[in-house]
Amino acid sequence: MQLDDLYRRVIMDHYKNPRNRGTLNTDAVTINLNNPTCGDRISLQLQVEDGKVIDAKFSGEGCSISLSSASMMTEAVKGKTYEEALGLAERFSGLMKGEDVDFEENEDIEALSGVNKFPARIKCATLAWNALRKGIEQQHV
């Protein structure tokens, strides 16, 4: 199996079987973003305590890239401090720029590395990550 095929399978698995899809029943930080160029929209909810992401859920509609990226991101940020979560977002941004980035324990995220070959799809992949940044910024105010 070639690497591109493996990556495609990982993306489709997160799309068809999204992790953390739904809503939180707590006083969660809620961020709603959309990508007007393609119609993707996401609602991200973060449960935060003492500067740490305790839980994360998302809902919305979009393409396989945007929804699988949201699934991967919510998995990756659980249990992370704000600084660690922002660090992941920065590394993801580097991945979208074609940089060689290692996601250690969150290797599924690396499946999105091929998106940088399709500039129009980068906004799809980064939508959930931008919502994460915005949510953390709201908490630091």
Side-chain angles (χ1 to χ4, degrees):
M1 179 184 305
Q2 292 193 350
L3 194 56
D4 284 347
D5 291 336
L6 175 63
Y7 283 172
R8 197 171 359 267
R9 286 183 185 197
V10 170
I11 290 168
M12 291 310 293
D13 178 52
H14 276 272
Y15 178 64
K16 291 179 179 177
N17 306 294
R19 283 62 155 183
N20 307 303
R21 188 165 190 147
T23 56
L24 294 171
N25 296 325
T26 62
D27 287 336
V29 177
T30 302
I31 305 92
N32 296 300
L33 288 183
N34 66 34
N35 180 354
T37 57
C38 68
D40 292 348
R41 60 180 184 78
I42 187 166
S43 179
L44 175 66
Q45 290 188 298
L46 301 171
Q47 179 184 351
V48 294
E49 292 177 17
D50 301 322
K52 187 180 268 192
V53 178
I54 303 301
D55 201 358
K57 298 261 187 200
F58 77 96
S59 59
E61 296 176 0
C63 66
S64 61
I65 299 294
S66 68
L67 296 181
S68 62
S69 184
S71 174
M72 293 174 195
M73 183 274 296
T74 55
E75 283 286 284
V77 301
K78 284 185 181 180
K80 302 285 192 249
T81 65
Y82 289 148
E83 291 77 21
E84 291 168 333
L86 286 173
L88 281 171
E90 284 303 311
R91 290 189 0 238
F92 188 77
S93 181
L95 185 71
M96 292 298 100
K97 294 175 185 171
E99 297 171 8
D100 186 21
V101 181
D102 182 19
F103 279 91
E104 296 115 21
E105 73 276 6
N106 306 107
E107 62 188 28
D108 278 5
I109 295 170
E110 293 176 18
L112 294 167
S113 62
V115 171
N116 67 26
K117 297 174 188 152
F118 306 96
R121 303 305 299 271
I122 291 174
K123 286 184 179 182
C124 302
T126 58
L127 186 62
W129 295 89
N130 291 336
L132 172 68
R133 282 189 178 107
K134 188 174 180 181
I136 290 173
E137 288 170 8
Q138 286 179 5
Q139 290 299 295
H140 273 202
V141 174

